[in-house]
Amino acid sequence: MSRRTALLGAVALVALVAAAALWFVGRDSPDAVDIDRAVADAAAAAAADGASAPDAADAPAGPMDVSGTWTVDTEWIAFDAATGAGTWVGYRIDEELSGIGAFTAVGRSPRVEGEVVVDDGRVVEAAIRADLQGLVSDNANRDGRVRPLFADRPVVFALTEPVAFGDVPQEGQRITATAQGLLRIGAVERSVSVELSADVAGERLVVTGSTVVTLVDFDVVVPSAPVVLGVSDDATVELQLYLRRG
């Protein structure tokens, strides 16, 4: 290799790193999943649908009966990766970027389906499936490197123990619980605990949650890039679900 070729290669690499760094300057990571924001989006969607709150005389005397099968609804609220609107499953992971420093990368996929079965104040069955080839972050280059990691490797969470919420809340009252289950990425399956929050929003249920996983445990190897100096070994898996009956 000639000195001129080597010099041109070095200049190109520096330009690439600089361009990538500039992409991140002034960019903020989306906020973590939040039940309050999810319910606020539900209220706005209901208002847009022309729904109105029932008169006090027509309001039910107690909590809504949520027993039965609930299905993930991906159409009611439009997905927006940046604001966290809609139904999605995604990740948060800490990076160290050249010329920038610490940055939290966030990607979310709206390709989610699944069912939840509630009986007498308990979630007795739940299976949520996500296609992470639909991941969207703030950087198309990152997405192009991350999505292939999950080609033919769907992500599935299945409840292994009933989750008791106690008394079903009335609308606007948050409930929290820890769900024990199996998280499978492709052929690799591990036990996880997911911290959940839930609320009733009109005729739908709103569920948010998160759990921390170690990537190597699921045979996930983070791709490299010139601007990325390091990536955490752990990632937070987040979910936000709107559920409808049936």
Side-chain angles (χ1 to χ4, degrees):
M1 178 185 296
S2 68
R3 293 181 60 185
R4 176 179 174 79
T5 300
L7 179 60
L8 289 175
V11 170
L13 178 61
V14 170
L16 176 63
V17 172
L22 287 173
W23 174 268
F24 288 97
V25 173
R27 303 179 73 87
D28 294 325
S29 300
D31 292 333
V33 66
D34 180 76
I35 187 68
D36 291 330
R37 185 176 65 245
V39 171
D41 287 347
D49 289 343
S52 59
D55 294 334
D58 297 329
M64 180 177 75
D65 182 7
V66 297
S67 294
T69 300
W70 296 78
T71 302
V72 172
D73 186 340
T74 59
E75 298 180 354
W76 186 45
I77 297 177
F79 169 69
D80 187 313
T83 64
T87 286
W88 49 265
V89 169
Y91 69 85
R92 304 180 70 84
I93 189 167
D94 292 333
E95 300 176 332
E96 187 70 23
L97 303 177
S98 175
I100 300 299
F103 184 82
T104 300
V106 178
R108 292 162 174 169
S109 172
R111 300 181 187 178
V112 187
E113 60 182 15
E115 304 79 29
V116 174
V117 180
V118 182
D119 181 36
D120 194 26
R122 300 187 310 159
V123 178
V124 294
E125 295 179 33
I128 305 300
R129 299 170 289 278
D131 178 3
L132 297 192
Q133 291 188 82
L135 284 169
V136 178
S137 74
D138 66 333
N139 188 319
N141 291 328
R142 180 194 294 115
D143 298 340
R145 292 172 179 268
V146 171
R147 289 171 183 164
L149 298 176
F150 302 98
D152 301 319
R153 299 189 73 197
V155 176
V156 181
F157 173 79
L159 194 68
T160 55
E161 300 177 14
V163 178
F165 284 105
D167 293 335
V168 178
Q170 297 186 47
E171 187 168 355
Q173 295 178 332
R174 309 290 186 266
I175 53 178
T176 59
T178 301
Q180 305 295 334
L182 292 175
L183 179 65
R184 186 170 73 248
I185 300 180
V188 182
E189 190 172 70
R190 297 284 185 268
S191 297
V192 296
S193 298
V194 182
E195 300 302 319
L196 297 175
S197 297
D199 199 352
V200 176
E203 295 299 316
R204 287 177 174 80
L205 299 182
V206 184
V207 179
T208 62
S210 65
T211 187
V212 177
V213 300
T214 300
L215 297 176
V216 68
D217 289 346
F218 291 91
D219 291 343
V220 174
V221 179
V222 177
S224 61
V227 73
V228 180
L229 301 179
V231 180
S232 173
D233 295 330
D234 298 327
T236 299
V237 177
E238 297 181 308
L239 61 85
Q240 179 169 289
L241 308 175
Y242 292 96
L243 304 172
R244 55 176 172 78
R245 284 192 183 276

